[in-house]
Protein backbone atom coordinates (compact mmCIF):
# COMPACT_ATOMS: atom_id res chain seq x y z
CA UNK A 1 0.00 0.00 0.00
CA UNK A 2 1.32 3.43 -0.88
CA UNK A 3 2.12 5.49 2.17
CA UNK A 4 3.99 8.44 3.61
CA UNK A 5 6.23 8.81 6.63
CA UNK A 6 4.81 10.46 9.73
CA UNK A 7 7.25 11.78 12.31
CA UNK A 8 6.88 11.60 16.05
CA UNK A 9 6.89 14.65 18.25
CA UNK A 10 10.20 15.46 19.94
CA UNK A 11 10.10 16.44 23.60
CA UNK A 12 11.52 19.69 24.92
CA UNK A 13 14.31 17.70 26.54
CA UNK A 14 15.22 16.02 23.23
CA UNK A 15 15.25 19.35 21.40
CA UNK A 16 17.41 20.84 24.16
CA UNK A 17 19.78 17.88 23.87
CA UNK A 18 20.00 18.33 20.09
CA UNK A 19 20.82 22.02 20.51
CA UNK A 20 23.53 21.15 23.05
CA UNK A 21 25.70 19.41 20.45
CA UNK A 22 28.91 21.38 19.86
CA UNK A 23 28.58 23.67 16.85
CA UNK A 24 32.35 23.80 16.55
CA UNK A 25 32.47 20.03 16.14
CA UNK A 26 29.54 20.12 13.72
CA UNK A 27 31.16 22.79 11.56
CA UNK A 28 34.33 20.73 11.28
CA UNK A 29 32.30 17.61 10.45
CA UNK A 30 30.72 19.57 7.60
CA UNK A 31 34.16 20.39 6.25
CA UNK A 32 34.56 23.99 7.43
CA UNK A 33 38.06 25.18 8.30
CA UNK A 34 37.78 27.41 11.36
CA UNK A 35 39.96 30.36 12.28
CA UNK A 36 39.82 32.98 14.98
CA UNK A 37 36.99 35.48 14.55
CA UNK A 38 37.54 37.30 17.82
CA UNK A 39 37.69 36.30 21.48
CA UNK A 40 34.23 34.79 21.42
CA UNK A 41 33.88 33.56 17.84
CA UNK A 42 35.41 31.34 15.20
CA UNK A 43 35.16 32.21 11.50
CA UNK A 44 34.68 29.54 8.82
CA UNK A 45 37.03 30.18 5.90
CA UNK A 46 35.50 30.53 2.41
CA UNK A 47 31.97 30.47 3.88
CA UNK A 48 30.67 33.89 2.95
CA UNK A 49 30.68 35.10 6.55
CA UNK A 50 29.85 32.13 8.81
CA UNK A 51 30.74 32.67 12.49
CA UNK A 52 30.47 30.17 15.33
CA UNK A 53 30.07 31.64 18.83
CA UNK A 54 31.90 29.68 21.51
CA UNK A 55 29.90 30.77 24.57
CA UNK A 56 26.36 30.61 23.19
CA UNK A 57 26.88 27.61 20.85
CA UNK A 58 25.15 29.49 18.06
CA UNK A 59 26.08 30.59 14.54
CA UNK A 60 25.48 33.63 12.38
CA UNK A 61 25.90 33.87 8.60
CA UNK A 62 26.32 37.44 7.40
CA UNK A 63 25.70 36.88 3.70
CA UNK A 64 22.43 34.99 4.17
CA UNK A 65 21.43 36.95 7.31
CA UNK A 66 20.71 33.68 9.13
CA UNK A 67 21.44 32.57 12.66
CA UNK A 68 20.55 29.70 14.97
CA UNK A 69 21.73 26.75 16.97
CA UNK A 70 22.84 23.21 16.06
CA UNK A 71 19.40 22.18 14.73
CA UNK A 72 19.27 25.18 12.39
CA UNK A 73 22.88 24.53 11.35
CA UNK A 74 22.15 20.92 10.34
CA UNK A 75 18.97 21.97 8.52
CA UNK A 76 20.91 24.61 6.56
CA UNK A 77 24.17 22.83 5.79
CA UNK A 78 22.85 19.27 5.79
CA UNK A 79 19.79 20.24 3.75
CA UNK A 80 17.56 18.31 6.16
CA UNK A 81 14.01 18.79 7.40
CA UNK A 82 13.50 19.73 11.05
CA UNK A 83 12.67 16.20 12.24
CA UNK A 84 15.61 14.71 10.37
CA UNK A 85 17.99 17.29 11.85
CA UNK A 86 16.86 16.65 15.45
CA UNK A 87 16.98 12.88 14.95
CA UNK A 88 20.50 13.06 13.52
CA UNK A 89 21.75 15.19 16.41
CA UNK A 90 20.33 12.97 19.16
CA UNK A 91 21.07 9.76 17.26
CA UNK A 92 17.60 8.28 17.57
CA UNK A 93 14.95 6.96 15.19
CA UNK A 94 12.18 9.41 14.44
CA UNK A 95 9.79 7.44 12.18
CA UNK A 96 6.58 6.54 14.00
CA UNK A 97 4.48 4.74 11.42
CA UNK A 98 3.45 4.76 7.77
CA UNK A 99 -0.06 5.87 6.90
CA UNK A 100 -2.02 5.50 3.70
CA UNK A 101 -1.51 8.21 1.12
CA UNK A 102 -4.64 9.86 -0.24
CA UNK A 103 -4.51 10.02 -4.02
CA UNK A 104 -4.55 13.60 -5.28
CA UNK A 105 -5.85 14.70 -8.62
CA UNK A 106 -5.14 18.24 -9.76
CA UNK A 107 -8.31 20.25 -10.14
CA UNK A 108 -8.59 21.99 -13.49
CA UNK A 109 -8.79 25.76 -13.14
CA UNK A 110 -11.70 27.55 -14.70
CA UNK A 111 -11.30 30.74 -16.73
CA UNK A 112 -9.93 33.76 -14.89
CA UNK A 113 -12.21 36.78 -14.60
CA UNK A 114 -10.31 40.08 -14.54
CA UNK A 115 -11.58 42.92 -12.33
CA UNK A 116 -13.52 45.62 -14.12
CA UNK A 117 -11.32 48.45 -15.39
CA UNK A 118 -11.70 52.00 -14.13
CA UNK A 119 -12.53 54.75 -16.60
CA UNK A 120 -8.96 55.96 -16.20
CA UNK A 121 -5.85 54.61 -14.50
CA UNK A 122 -4.78 57.83 -12.76
CA UNK A 123 -4.69 56.43 -9.24
CA UNK A 124 -2.73 53.29 -10.22
CA UNK A 125 -0.33 55.43 -12.26
CA UNK A 126 0.12 57.87 -9.35
CA UNK A 127 0.74 55.03 -6.89
CA UNK A 128 3.33 53.26 -9.03
CA UNK A 129 5.17 56.43 -10.04
CA UNK A 130 4.85 58.73 -7.00
CA UNK A 131 4.68 56.21 -4.15
CA UNK A 132 6.76 53.31 -5.47
CA UNK A 133 9.19 55.42 -7.52
CA UNK A 134 8.83 53.50 -10.81
CA UNK A 135 9.79 55.34 -13.99
CA UNK A 136 6.70 56.85 -15.73
CA UNK A 137 7.82 55.47 -19.10
CA UNK A 138 7.84 51.91 -17.76
CA UNK A 139 4.38 52.22 -16.23
CA UNK A 140 2.96 53.78 -19.41
CA UNK A 141 4.40 51.09 -21.68
CA UNK A 142 3.03 48.26 -19.51
CA UNK A 143 -0.38 49.90 -19.26
CA UNK A 144 -0.47 50.22 -23.06
CA UNK A 145 0.44 46.52 -23.29
CA UNK A 146 -2.60 45.76 -21.07
CA UNK A 147 -0.39 44.24 -18.38
CA UNK A 148 -1.42 46.84 -15.82
CA UNK A 149 -4.75 48.55 -15.21
CA UNK A 150 -6.76 50.05 -12.39
CA UNK A 151 -9.67 48.25 -10.76
CA UNK A 152 -12.93 50.19 -11.07
CA UNK A 153 -14.39 49.56 -7.60
CA UNK A 154 -11.50 50.17 -5.20
CA UNK A 155 -8.75 51.67 -7.37
CA UNK A 156 -6.36 48.73 -6.87
CA UNK A 157 -3.45 48.11 -9.25
CA UNK A 158 -4.14 45.05 -11.40
CA UNK A 159 -1.23 43.05 -12.86
CA UNK A 160 -1.94 40.50 -15.59
CA UNK A 161 0.03 37.55 -16.96
CA UNK A 162 -0.90 36.03 -20.35
CA UNK A 163 -0.35 32.75 -22.15
CA UNK A 164 1.27 32.49 -25.58
CA UNK A 165 -2.08 33.32 -27.20
CA UNK A 166 -2.45 36.51 -25.13
CA UNK A 167 -5.24 34.99 -23.03
CA UNK A 168 -5.16 36.20 -19.39
CA UNK A 169 -4.07 33.38 -17.09
CA UNK A 170 -2.75 35.16 -14.02
CA UNK A 171 -3.95 38.27 -12.20
CA UNK A 172 -2.82 39.85 -8.94
CA UNK A 173 -4.00 43.04 -7.30
CA UNK A 174 -2.18 45.49 -5.06
CA UNK A 175 -3.82 48.21 -2.97
CA UNK A 176 -3.00 51.84 -3.67
CA UNK A 177 -3.62 53.19 -0.17
CA UNK A 178 -0.39 53.55 1.81
CA UNK A 179 -2.05 52.96 5.20
CA UNK A 180 -4.02 49.92 4.05
CA UNK A 181 -1.92 47.02 2.69
CA UNK A 182 -3.87 44.84 0.28
CA UNK A 183 -2.69 41.97 -1.91
CA UNK A 184 -4.79 39.39 -3.69
CA UNK A 185 -4.58 36.88 -6.52
CA UNK A 186 -7.81 36.53 -8.47
CA UNK A 187 -9.65 33.20 -8.44
CA UNK A 188 -8.25 30.70 -10.96
CA UNK A 189 -4.97 32.60 -11.31
CA UNK A 190 -2.21 30.32 -12.56
CA UNK A 191 1.24 31.31 -11.29
CA UNK A 192 2.95 29.41 -14.11
CA UNK A 193 2.09 32.36 -16.38
CA UNK A 194 4.31 35.29 -15.35
CA UNK A 195 3.87 39.03 -15.41
CA UNK A 196 6.38 39.97 -18.11
CA UNK A 197 8.60 42.86 -19.12
CA UNK A 198 9.74 41.39 -22.42
CA UNK A 199 13.33 41.92 -23.53
CA UNK A 200 15.53 41.26 -26.55
CA UNK A 201 18.71 39.75 -25.08
CA UNK A 202 19.62 36.27 -23.83
CA UNK A 203 19.30 37.41 -20.19
CA UNK A 204 16.27 37.19 -17.88
CA UNK A 205 15.90 38.64 -14.38
CA UNK A 206 13.53 36.64 -12.18
CA UNK A 207 11.81 38.76 -9.50
CA UNK A 208 9.16 37.88 -6.94
CA UNK A 209 6.47 40.47 -7.76
CA UNK A 210 5.42 42.73 -10.64
CA UNK A 211 6.40 45.84 -8.65
CA UNK A 212 9.84 44.33 -7.96
CA UNK A 213 10.30 43.64 -11.69
CA UNK A 214 9.34 47.23 -12.55
CA UNK A 215 11.57 48.59 -9.80
CA UNK A 216 14.48 46.53 -11.11
CA UNK A 217 13.85 47.87 -14.62
CA UNK A 218 13.77 51.39 -13.17
CA UNK A 219 17.20 50.90 -11.62
CA UNK A 220 18.48 49.83 -15.04
CA UNK A 221 17.23 53.09 -16.54
CA UNK A 222 18.58 55.18 -13.64
CA UNK A 223 22.03 53.70 -14.26
CA UNK A 224 21.88 54.55 -17.97
CA UNK A 225 20.91 51.15 -19.38
CA UNK A 226 18.13 50.29 -21.81
CA UNK A 227 15.46 48.85 -19.53
CA UNK A 228 13.86 47.03 -22.47
CA UNK A 229 17.04 45.19 -23.48
CA UNK A 230 16.79 42.34 -20.95
CA UNK A 231 13.81 40.23 -19.95
CA UNK A 232 12.22 40.61 -16.51
CA UNK A 233 9.50 38.42 -15.09
CA UNK A 234 7.57 38.13 -11.85
CA UNK A 235 7.32 34.66 -10.33
CA UNK A 236 4.49 35.74 -8.04
CA UNK A 237 6.33 33.92 -5.23
CA UNK A 238 9.63 32.03 -4.84
CA UNK A 239 8.46 29.05 -6.93
CA UNK A 240 10.08 28.72 -10.38
CA UNK A 241 7.07 27.49 -12.38
CA UNK A 242 6.71 30.82 -14.20
CA UNK A 243 10.42 30.80 -15.08
CA UNK A 244 10.19 27.31 -16.57
CA UNK A 245 7.27 28.46 -18.71
CA UNK A 246 9.07 31.60 -19.87
CA UNK A 247 12.21 29.67 -20.80
CA UNK A 248 10.07 27.36 -22.95
CA UNK A 249 8.78 30.43 -24.77
CA UNK A 250 12.27 31.92 -25.14
CA UNK A 251 14.86 29.23 -25.97
CA UNK A 252 17.31 32.02 -26.86
CA UNK A 253 17.74 32.84 -23.15
CA UNK A 254 21.07 31.53 -21.84
CA UNK A 255 21.55 33.62 -18.69
CA UNK A 256 19.36 33.87 -15.57
CA UNK A 257 19.75 36.31 -12.68
CA UNK A 258 17.63 35.67 -9.60
CA UNK A 259 16.63 39.06 -8.18
CA UNK A 260 14.56 37.67 -5.31
CA UNK A 261 13.77 39.27 -1.97
CA UNK A 262 16.30 39.67 0.82
CA UNK A 263 14.14 38.39 3.71
CA UNK A 264 16.75 39.18 6.33
CA UNK A 265 14.19 39.59 9.14
CA UNK A 266 11.88 36.69 8.24
CA UNK A 267 11.35 33.94 10.81
CA UNK A 268 9.81 30.51 10.64
CA UNK A 269 7.34 28.91 13.04
CA UNK A 270 10.18 28.11 15.44
CA UNK A 271 11.22 31.80 15.52
CA UNK A 272 14.43 31.04 13.62
CA UNK A 273 15.63 33.37 10.87
CA UNK A 274 14.96 32.11 7.35
CA UNK A 275 15.93 34.29 4.39
CA UNK A 276 13.40 32.59 2.14
CA UNK A 277 14.14 34.69 -0.95
CA UNK A 278 17.88 34.12 -0.90
CA UNK A 279 17.49 30.45 0.01
CA UNK A 280 15.27 30.05 -3.05
CA UNK A 281 17.78 31.96 -5.19
CA UNK A 282 20.57 29.57 -4.23
CA UNK A 283 18.29 26.58 -4.84
CA UNK A 284 17.29 27.76 -8.33
CA UNK A 285 20.89 28.66 -9.19
CA UNK A 286 21.85 25.06 -8.50
CA UNK A 287 18.94 23.73 -10.57
CA UNK A 288 19.43 25.92 -13.62
CA UNK A 289 23.21 25.79 -13.68
CA UNK A 290 22.84 22.01 -13.96
CA UNK A 291 20.57 22.64 -16.96
CA UNK A 292 23.39 24.58 -18.63
CA UNK A 293 22.31 28.16 -17.92
CA UNK A 294 24.72 30.83 -16.72
CA UNK A 295 23.26 31.91 -13.37
CA UNK A 296 23.78 34.65 -10.81
CA UNK A 297 22.06 36.31 -7.85
CA UNK A 298 21.25 40.03 -7.63
CA UNK A 299 20.47 40.68 -3.97
CA UNK A 300 18.66 43.86 -2.89
CA UNK A 301 20.17 45.86 -0.02
CA UNK A 302 16.87 46.04 1.89
CA UNK A 303 13.93 43.64 1.72
CA UNK A 304 13.33 43.93 -2.04
CA UNK A 305 14.14 46.13 -5.03
CA UNK A 306 10.93 48.12 -4.55
CA UNK A 307 12.05 49.14 -1.07
CA UNK A 308 15.55 49.91 -2.38
CA UNK A 309 14.02 52.12 -5.07
CA UNK A 310 11.75 54.02 -2.67
CA UNK A 311 14.73 54.87 -0.45
CA UNK A 312 16.92 55.70 -3.45
CA UNK A 313 14.30 58.19 -4.62
CA UNK A 314 14.65 59.85 -1.21
CA UNK A 315 18.34 60.43 -1.93
CA UNK A 316 19.78 57.39 -0.15
CA UNK A 317 23.00 55.92 -1.54
CA UNK A 318 23.74 52.16 -1.70
CA UNK A 319 25.96 52.64 1.35
CA UNK A 320 23.03 54.27 3.17
CA UNK A 321 20.83 51.28 2.35
CA UNK A 322 23.41 48.85 3.72
CA UNK A 323 23.64 50.95 6.87
CA UNK A 324 19.85 50.95 7.23
CA UNK A 325 19.76 47.17 6.96
CA UNK A 326 22.54 46.71 9.51
CA UNK A 327 20.84 49.09 11.96
CA UNK A 328 17.56 47.19 11.57
CA UNK A 329 19.34 43.88 12.10
CA UNK A 330 21.10 45.18 15.19
CA UNK A 331 17.80 46.39 16.65
CA UNK A 332 16.27 42.99 15.98
CA UNK A 333 19.17 41.18 17.62
CA UNK A 334 18.92 43.46 20.65
CA UNK A 335 15.28 42.49 20.96
CA UNK A 336 16.18 38.80 20.64
CA UNK A 337 18.89 39.22 23.29
CA UNK A 338 16.19 39.04 26.00
CA UNK A 339 16.11 35.30 25.34
CA UNK A 340 19.68 35.02 24.05
CA UNK A 341 21.90 37.11 26.36
CA UNK A 342 25.18 36.06 24.74
CA UNK A 343 24.42 36.74 21.09
CA UNK A 344 24.38 40.56 21.29
CA UNK A 345 27.92 40.89 22.58
CA UNK A 346 29.09 38.25 20.11
CA UNK A 347 27.68 40.22 17.17
CA UNK A 348 29.12 43.49 18.47
CA UNK A 349 32.55 41.86 18.63
CA UNK A 350 32.34 40.76 14.97
CA UNK A 351 31.25 44.25 13.93
CA UNK A 352 34.22 45.72 15.78
Amino acid sequence: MAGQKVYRHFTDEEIKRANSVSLIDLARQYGFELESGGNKALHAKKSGGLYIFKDSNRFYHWTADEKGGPIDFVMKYGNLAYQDAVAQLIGECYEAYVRETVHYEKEEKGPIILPDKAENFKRAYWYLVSVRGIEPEIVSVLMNEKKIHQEAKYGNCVFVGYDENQTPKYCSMRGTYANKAFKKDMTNSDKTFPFIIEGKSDLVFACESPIDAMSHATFAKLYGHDWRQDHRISLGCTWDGALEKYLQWHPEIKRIVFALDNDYLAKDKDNCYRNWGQMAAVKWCDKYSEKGYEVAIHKPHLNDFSEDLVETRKGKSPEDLVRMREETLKAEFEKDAVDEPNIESDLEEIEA
Side-chain angles (χ1 to χ4, degrees), residues 92-275:
E92 294 184 5
C93 181
Y94 58 87
E95 294 180 23
Y97 58 92
V98 173
R99 68 182 178 197
E100 184 179 357
T101 298
V102 178
H103 181 66
Y104 170 74
E105 291 185 1
K106 183 178 179 181
E107 182 181 352
E108 291 297 323
K109 292 182 180 290
I112 187 172
I113 300 176
L114 299 181
D116 291 336
K117 294 181 181 180
E119 291 184 1
N120 63 68
F121 303 163
K122 289 182 179 179
R123 180 165 190 85
Y125 183 90
W126 164 83
Y127 173 75
L128 294 172
V129 173
S130 300
V131 178
R132 305 311 290 260
I134 298 167
E135 276 291 299
E137 178 191 2
I138 296 174
V139 177
S140 296
V141 167
L142 295 173
M143 283 184 169
N144 288 332
E145 292 177 352
K146 299 182 179 180
K147 295 173 182 175
I148 302 174
H149 69 260
Q150 180 177 314
E151 181 199 22
K153 189 173 183 179
Y154 298 108
N156 295 312
C157 283
V158 179
F159 305 100
V160 185
Y162 297 87
D163 65 13
E164 56 269 47
N165 298 316
Q166 293 305 298
T167 302
K169 290 291 187 179
Y170 174 73
C171 174
S172 67
M173 292 193 295
R174 177 65 183 253
T176 55
Y177 294 89
N179 62 343
K180 198 172 184 180
F182 173 77
K183 296 180 182 179
K184 179 183 178 181
D185 287 351
M186 294 299 292
T187 303
N188 295 328
S189 284
D190 188 340
K191 287 184 182 292
T192 59
F193 294 90
F195 173 88
I196 296 167
I197 303 176
E198 194 121 20
K200 297 169 284 189
S201 72
D202 67 347
L203 169 63
V204 60
F205 290 93
C207 303
E208 285 194 33
S209 75
I211 290 180
D212 286 335
M214 290 187 288
S215 298
H216 196 278
T218 296
F219 273 118
K221 184 169 183 179
L222 291 178
Y223 284 101
H225 302 293
D226 179 3
W227 65 272
R228 303 208 70 170
Q229 178 65 24
D230 301 317
H231 305 260
R232 289 177 176 85
I233 67 170
S234 163
L235 303 179
C237 53
T238 56
W239 178 53
D240 71 328
L243 177 59
E244 286 191 340
K245 179 78 69 177
Y246 197 70
L247 294 175
Q248 290 173 10
W249 293 344
H250 291 276
E252 76 276 8
I253 291 177
K254 307 300 180 186
R255 297 178 293 155
I256 307 171
V257 175
F258 293 94
L260 304 184
D261 290 0
N262 181 14
D263 301 306
Y264 58 93
L265 291 179
K267 293 183 179 179
D268 62 13
K269 61 182 178 61
D270 298 313
N271 208 36
C272 295
Y273 286 90
R274 291 284 180 267
N275 196 326

Side-chain angles (χ1 to χ4, degrees), residues 279-332:
M279 289 167 66
V282 171
K283 177 181 179 181
W284 302 136
C285 276
D286 289 343
K287 173 180 176 178
Y288 287 93
S289 64
E290 291 179 1
K291 289 176 175 285
Y293 291 95
E294 183 179 337
V295 297
I297 295 174
H298 190 186
K299 180 179 176 182
H301 297 298
L302 299 177
N303 186 70
D304 52 40
F305 284 101
S306 175
E307 191 173 345
D308 279 10
L309 180 58
V310 168
E311 295 302 327
T312 298
R313 292 294 197 186
K314 295 177 182 178
K316 301 287 197 330
S317 67
E319 292 75 20
D320 293 331
L321 301 185
V322 172
R323 193 177 304 112
M324 288 174 62
R325 185 188 71 226
E326 291 177 347
E327 288 173 353
T328 304
L329 277 169
K330 185 174 182 181
E332 184 73 11

